Amino acid sequence: MTQVYTNKLLKSVISITLMTAALGLTACSSPTDTDVKTRQDSMKSWGDAMGVMGDMVKAPDTFDAAVFKEQAAFLAEDSSTPWSHFENQDAAGNATEAVWSNADGFSAESDNFQKVTAELSAAAQTATSVDDVAPAFGEVGASCKSCHTEFRAKAN
């Protein structure tokens, strides 16, 4: 009986120790990790929204004005979210060194993205067909590509 009690006690102590260590590691994630994750999460959401709208642009008969308007509004509202998370150069993630060495160029790309997403959202407010939003949608896509060309590391 003593052996069973000792084994249970030992297992409990080990379990509590492991859980405490895991929680401590989670709570101690570095600001660098947080910055990269925040940027990546935001941009992944942008990609998802662009995918929904892009599918409609590619197949105009599937155009749903309400859904397009919602996705465009999300992009415009969220367009300023990740930029403050590029302040720490140690939090490079997929960003190239040019983000910091060409800060003016990077800032211009950020400003342009915010401008074109606002224009897309404005166009989507009254859109009745893909034709009403396709030019503005193309500008948002061009903005993404332009920024990624210089400021995002190439995938291997």
Side-chain angles (χ1 to χ4, degrees), residues 16-30:
I16 290 170
T17 302
L18 289 174
M19 286 190 301
T20 302
L23 287 172
L25 289 174
T26 302
C28 294
S29 64
S30 73

Side-chain angles (χ1 to χ4, degrees), residues 120-137:
L120 175 62
S121 182
Q125 298 305 305
T126 58
T128 57
S129 74
V130 168
D131 294 336
D132 298 330
V133 291
F137 179 79

